[in-house]
Amino acid sequence: MNPPVALITGAARGIGAACVAALIADGWQVAALDRVSADPSANYPMATSAEFEAVVGGAGSMAIGVEVDVADSAAVGVAVDEVINRYGQLDAVVTAAGIVAGGKPVWEMSNADWAGVMATDLTGTFNVVRAAVPALLKRPAGRVVCVASAAGSLGLRHMAPYAAAKHGVIGLVRSLAADLAGTLVTANVVSPGSTRTVGLDASAAIYGLESVEDFVRHQEPLGRLIEPVEVAAAIAWLCSPASSAVTGAIIPVDGGMTATP
């Protein structure tokens, strides 16, 4: 039997990179995808080629890297075909690509402010899922796991595009789970809280905070920030056979942030 194959977006750093390591540790082969190029919608640097190469190279023969912008539907289709041609199968897709942007109330946002975040965080998720599901349906038990956010259940001041996109990811995956009725493919969401990533640094800048540690006040009752490996552990479980009865679910990895006032 060949090892199962997972495609992971946003794989160059943060939660995506942690997912690469977690799934490889569980015996998966991984196609790691990342844009590794500037995004004009974000006012912070995207992952570099060196970071991407470190993630893929550290996995040895168990991973390949593919550079692609998930907002480009045609390029996503080519990338998914490349992965399937390489491995002959696709067993799971994890969408961790996303950008954080904001800093204005809704009525002051431009079309570009809105469209940039939506293109990656919501439309990018749709592009990957649409391209990958036909291959997943050919496998004994395919898995779709999309990374949303606690912002998918909350309103965030001055971050309406991000919150709206993450709400959209949850609606997309719930609908996908319904569409997959009668198959053995499951679709679920993991919603992290304040996780120690570059995206959290960007959020701190939006709110004028000196340190990401200021977000700890939102992380009750846990009382600390979330680490990417903790989010990746939940995603790896959702990709495993042990999660076979779970679909259409939103799994919060947020230290209780959305469970308590």
Side-chain angles (χ1 to χ4, degrees):
M1 295 284 292
N2 294 328
V5 176
L7 182 153
I8 301 173
T9 69
R13 65 186 181 194
I15 292 170
C19 287
V20 173
L23 287 178
I24 287 174
D26 284 349
W28 290 71
Q29 296 182 106
V30 171
L33 277 59
D34 203 284
R35 66 176 293 151
V36 292
S37 62
D39 188 328
S41 302
N43 60 358
Y44 60 95
M46 296 294 99
T48 65
S49 295
E51 288 175 307
F52 194 32
E53 290 168 5
V55 170
V56 175
S61 62
M62 297 301 289
I64 61 169
V66 181
E67 294 187 16
V68 65
D69 179 359
V70 296
D72 184 336
S73 60
V76 167
V78 171
V80 170
D81 287 345
E82 179 180 339
V83 172
I84 295 169
N85 290 337
R86 169 68 177 266
Y87 292 110
Q89 65 189 70
L90 183 61
D91 300 275
V93 59
V94 177
T95 64
I99 61 170
V100 175
K104 304 173 186 176
V106 171
W107 60 91
E108 293 181 6
M109 289 179 178
S110 67
N111 289 344
D113 293 332
W114 177 266
V117 176
M118 287 290 171
T120 295
D121 294 21
L122 181 53
T123 303
T125 299
F126 165 72
N127 288 339
V128 174
V129 168
R130 178 175 60 178
V133 165
L136 298 177
L137 289 168
K138 298 176 182 179
R139 302 299 296 158
R143 299 285 188 263
V144 177
V145 186
C146 298
V147 178
S149 167
S153 302
L154 302 169
L156 296 184
R157 179 176 176 268
H158 287 183
M159 291 184 68
Y162 181 76
K166 294 303 185 179
H167 275 74
V169 168
I170 290 173
L172 170 66
V173 173
R174 281 175 160 162
S175 297
L176 174 63
D179 287 343
L180 290 168
T183 76
L184 295 177
V185 179
T186 63
N188 293 289
V189 170
V190 168
S191 285
S194 297
T195 306
R196 203 182 297 276
T197 63
V198 173
L200 192 62
D201 293 336
S203 296
I206 288 169
Y207 290 118
L209 303 177
E210 294 184 1
S211 168
V212 294
E213 297 301 329
D214 290 330
F215 284 108
V216 169
R217 66 180 182 271
H218 301 300
Q219 295 290 128
E220 297 296 342
L222 190 65
R224 64 169 174 81
L225 297 180
I226 310 300
E227 300 297 334
V229 294
E230 296 175 303
V231 183
I235 291 170
W237 179 77
L238 285 171
C239 289
S240 76
S243 70
S244 57
V246 181
T247 194
I250 296 85
I251 309 296
V253 186
D254 64 6
M257 178 180 177
T258 55
T260 54

